[in-house]
Amino acid sequence: MSIIKIEAAMPGLLYHKPEPDAEPFKKPGDPVAVGDTLALVELMKSFVPIEAEIAGTFRGFLIGDGESLDPGVPFCEIEA
């Protein structure tokens, strides 16, 4: 098993959950399937889902909910 850092493809604000009062898309220990939504990036009032390209186990977020995200910066880890 190896730990894969998932990087952002675009700048914006990172959101761990679909709505402020909702549960996060993924919590540490959750299984991840290809195509699962990991987070949302808000860019110019549009919310773009970031989907998993690998399957494994979610290890956690590296950037806080609502924090700024830059392209190429890892925002979460998946153990694959």
Side-chain angles (χ1 to χ4, degrees):
M1 294 266 181
S2 61
I3 296 174
I4 309 297
K5 293 182 185 295
I6 309 301
E7 298 178 353
M10 66 179 72
L13 296 177
L14 180 74
Y15 292 102
H16 298 182
K17 43 196 173 181
E19 297 177 5
D21 58 347
E23 289 291 314
F25 289 106
K26 295 291 178 186
K27 294 180 270 193
D30 284 351
V32 176
V34 173
D36 282 358
T37 299
L38 301 173
L40 297 175
V41 174
E42 179 186 8
L43 179 63
M44 298 176 60
K45 309 254 185 213
S46 293
F47 291 88
V48 179
I50 300 176
E51 297 178 348
E53 295 180 4
I54 60 168
T57 302
F58 190 75
R59 300 259 316 186
F61 288 103
L62 303 173
I63 294 179
D65 190 46
E67 290 187 9
S68 189
L69 181 66
D70 291 317
V73 173
F75 71 89
C76 74
E77 295 177 330
I78 296 174
E79 188 172 332

